[in-house]
Amino acid sequence: MLVLGLALACLALVAAGCGGDDNNDDNSSSGAQGNSAGSSEPAGGGGGGGASKVKVTADPGGALKWEQTALTAKAGKVTVTMDNESSVPHAVEVEGNGVEEETKTVTGDSASLTVDLKAGKYEFYCPVDGHRQAGMEGTLTVQ
Ligand SMILES: [Cu+2]
C-alpha cells in the first residue's frame, strides 16, 4: 500500500531527526568560586568604619541617562563619583532624609562628593536642567 509506505517513511525520518538531537547540558564548571569577599571584614588601619564609594557613569555617547540606576552603599561617609566622558554637561545630586548635595557640573571629566548618610533610601539624579526629567535618576540604597 502506497499510503502506508509513505507513513512509514515519515516515521523513519522523524526518528532520525530526533536521534540527531544531541544536547549536552552538564557543562561541569570549574570556576574558582571560593573567593567571595568577606562581607564584614574590618579594613586595616581605618579610622572607624571605612567610607564606601559608589560610582555613577553618564552615558558616554551623550544620552541623558546613567549607566547605573541602582547604587548601594554602607551607612557612614559615602563618596559618590560621577564619570562623564561625554560632551554633555552633567553633575550628580544626592537627595533624601534631609540630605541634598550635588557635585559641580562637568563635561568630559569626573566629579565627586562625600556625604554622611544614614541607612535608608536616597535618590540620585543629574541636576542639570531637564536631565532628571529625561531619565537621569536612580536610587541609592544605604545599609
Ligand atoms: Cu545631566
Side-chain angles (χ1 to χ4, degrees):
M1 262 195 152
L2 184 59
V3 174
L4 182 59
L6 279 172
L8 283 172
C10 279
L11 279 173
L13 277 173
V14 169
C18 278
D21 204 352
D22 183 34
N23 56 341
N24 48 345
D25 17 86
D26 211 351
N27 231 345
S28 63
S29 62
S30 61
Q33 266 182 324
N35 208 2
S36 61
S39 51
S40 57
E41 210 172 289
S52 62
K53 294 181 177 182
V54 293
K55 187 153 116 172
V56 60
T57 309
D59 184 87
L64 298 182
K65 65 177 189 182
W66 298 121
E67 294 198 332
Q68 303 83 7
T69 54
L71 303 174
T72 309
K74 278 194 307 183
K77 290 224 183 292
V78 179
T79 299
V80 182
T81 301
M82 193 265 314
D83 268 348
N84 178 18
E85 289 177 21
S86 77
S87 54
V88 179
H90 296 299
V92 69
E93 177 157 347
V94 174
E95 190 179 321
N97 303 314
V99 172
E100 190 170 354
E101 300 273 355
E102 67 182 82
T103 65
K104 60 183 177 169
T105 301
V106 295
T107 304
D109 200 355
S110 62
S112 65
L113 63 87
T114 301
V115 275
D116 217 340
L117 300 178
K118 296 176 296 190
K121 293 248 185 208
Y122 298 79
E123 293 178 298
F124 69 90
Y125 56 91
C126 178
V128 174
D129 273 355
H131 288 198
R132 182 183 191 178
Q133 289 74 13
M136 293 193 84
E137 61 181 345
T139 307
L140 169 63
T141 304
V142 177
Q143 291 161 331

